[in-house]
Amino acid sequence: MSAGCCTRNSVFAPTKPTLSWKFTLPTKTLPPLRKTTKRFAVFATFISSTKPTVLVAEKLGEAGLNLLKKFANVDCSYNLSPEELCSKISLCDALIVRSGTQVSREVFESSGGRLKVVGRAGVGIDNVDLPAATEHGCLVVNAPTANTIAAAEHGIALLTAMARNIAQADASIKSGKWQRSKYVGVSLVGKTIAVMGFGKVGSEVARRAKGLGMNVIAHDPYAPADRARAIGVELMSFDEAISTADFISLHMPLTPATSKIFNDEAFSRMKKGARIVNVARGGVIDEEALLRALDSGIVAQAALDVFTEEPPAKDNKLVLHENVTVTPHLGASTAEAQEGVAIEIAEAVVGALKGELASTAVNAPMVSAEVLSELATYVALAEKLGRLAVQLVAGGSGVKSVKVTYASARGPDDIDTRLLRAMIIKGVIEPISSVFVNLVNADFIAKQRGLNMIEERITLDGSPENPLEYIQVQIANVESKFASAISDFGEIRVEGRVKDGKPHLTKVGSFGVDVSLEGSIILCRQVDQPGIIGKVGSILGDENVNVNFMSVGRIATQKQAVMTIGVDEEPSKEVLKKIGNIAAVEEFVFLKL
């Protein structure tokens, strides 16, 4: 799906080039935001009488270099120190790196505004300062697809090597020993493997595991059930998957939601003797907890390609453990994958230098100050409503469709909702995904993940001074962790408004509430009776959890009520358990913003 195109007239000058461009979508002509407001200004580059210069700071495949050389002057300077990189960058229009080069704020500042594109040859962009890139008008692109097969193959290689003790037996025989009885392995056929993360790599691993005669289950909140069924895979909740599997293969991104998700508690719910493969991100595993699980026998073996700290320390106990097979982050290390990544990133960088909008863009495009000034609080509201809605979905219910309703006193042509839609997609997808969603790639990412976005506008009577009266987000055909979030029409529904310049949650399901969307939120449904607010407040106060907002919405006096509590800190599990144990509390859920 093409996000759009840029057309411009400009001549590059070494001082201050004058640029003009317009942004259009191929499907329709965009309405103006308001007569007095400019359209969104999107990243654009110059057409120069001389070739642009691309600095390649880490080794790139020849195919990619040849592509770059057809369009630009290419400077291959490897192993630059931070000072050397800052010194060279003011002469470059684009920079290509892998994971070993830190593209810091100092790099963008040193570029003097000339640097237009940073290309990361690979998926992760932890080494690029995205806020600094956006502030300096620099687009960041990556290459997320070329190494899919290589990573899947490496996952299967580690799976089979672990099951048959290949690495340990190899080391043993090379040391002069012959220990056939010590290295008796386990068979894969007929065993159950849980693929945790059913994206590109996870689904390829699933296909290959099926070919090995394994029963494949998977966990991924966004995986379409029909795609899983087509491969012969059953989708399950996180807890169901890890407690059922004999083998667990990790393909989850590292996000705040997945950081150390495999911890002592998770290991305790696994089958005794489970085996784990990780070719995703080291940080999804609590390495000390895994070590304890290995020593206790809960986990029989582990095969790891990635680590929290890379390279790991020489005395790392997990690396040295006899029942652990390790490789030095080789997931993408095949000749074919390296060439594919080189071509993918070269095409993205050249396209960006031509002014095209790449679907692999990972930072927000430049937006006019006037637009941001008016929509800033609504942008925050949209993202937080998306985050709230998706957290209310029970595990295993795949999210297939999101409906967004905008209510406004303005005419339908007086507001462009692209940025708001992008922020709702961002809120729904980013918490458990490695992608970065913005105006450039939001629709592409939603389509790629099978997420159908439906937008509806309601025109209200009133003053058009404010762009919107409220935003409502609905997710249909899913189960909810909090039954009261289900509206009378059967879908999860959250609604919010901007009050006093701040985003507020104003409706959950059919219950009216009023709570500032700051910090995090606890939702409680309870019998409407005196003293409940005091009991919950006391529990939180006793644990030094600060309450910043509290609101109660009810159906009728002495009937059911929903209490919405805004908290500054994340309560401990013990605190949440105490709230749940209050006799009048029928259900509750904690939601991170």
Side-chain angles (χ1 to χ4, degrees), residues 392-394 397-401 475-480 486 490-492:
L392 288 166
V393 176
S397 301
V399 178
K400 301 176 183 65
S401 178
I475 303 178
N477 302 315
V478 293
E479 297 177 7
S480 177
I486 301 292
E491 80 282 330
I492 289 176

Side-chain angles (χ1 to χ4, degrees), residues 359-426:
S359 61
T360 58
V362 293
N363 66 329
M366 299 302 292
V367 176
S368 75
E370 195 174 359
V371 169
L372 277 180
S373 176
E374 181 170 56
L375 290 183
T377 50
Y378 297 93
V379 166
L381 173 64
E383 181 178 353
K384 289 182 178 183
L385 288 176
R387 285 182 179 272
L388 284 177
V390 79
Q391 288 182 74
L392 288 166
V393 176
S397 301
V399 178
K400 301 176 183 65
S401 178
V402 175
K403 180 179 179 181
V404 186
T405 302
Y406 309 99
S408 174
R410 293 185 183 175
D413 292 335
D414 275 348
I415 182 166
D416 182 351
T417 59
R418 287 179 303 144
L419 183 55
L420 299 174
R421 181 177 73 241
M423 290 302 102
I424 290 167
I425 295 172
K426 179 183 178 76

Side-chain angles (χ1 to χ4, degrees), residues 4 6 20 39 44 70 93 187 209 264 322-323 354 373 377 417 425 427 436 439 466 481 484 520 522 527 540 565 576:
C6 281
S20 64
R39 292 180 185 268
K70 292 178 182 178
D93 306 294
S187 180
D264 287 309
E322 186 179 17
N323 294 330
K354 289 179 177 178
S373 176
T377 50
T417 59
I425 295 172
F436 293 82
L439 179 60
N466 295 322
K481 296 176 183 175
S484 300
S520 296
I522 300 172
V527 177
L540 294 171
I565 309 160
L576 293 174

Side-chain angles (χ1 to χ4, degrees), residues 25 93 271 273 301:
L25 286 176
D93 306 294
K271 276 186 177 181
Q301 291 178 292

Side-chain angles (χ1 to χ4, degrees), residues 69-132:
K69 289 173 182 177
K70 292 178 182 178
F71 177 76
N73 297 315
V74 179
D75 176 0
C76 294
S77 296
Y78 306 147
N79 302 315
L80 294 173
S81 68
E83 293 76 20
E84 289 170 334
L85 178 58
C86 287
S87 177
K88 289 180 73 74
I89 204 65
S90 62
L91 303 175
C92 304
D93 306 294
L95 168 66
I96 294 179
V97 299
R98 300 187 77 87
S99 60
T101 301
Q102 293 296 317
V103 189
S104 63
R105 178 172 292 275
E106 288 72 27
V107 173
F108 293 106
E109 291 174 348
S110 299
S111 76
R114 180 166 174 176
L115 186 63
K116 303 300 179 184
V117 191
V118 171
R120 163 67 168 94
V123 180
I125 42 81
D126 298 344
N127 55 318
V128 180
D129 190 327
L130 285 178

Side-chain angles (χ1 to χ4, degrees), residues 10 35 42 44 61 94 146 208 218 270 274 277 352 360 371 401 452 556 582 585:
S10 62
K35 290 182 179 178
V42 184
R208 287 156 176 76
M270 294 179 184
V277 177
T360 58
V371 169
S401 178
N452 182 31
I582 297 174
V585 172

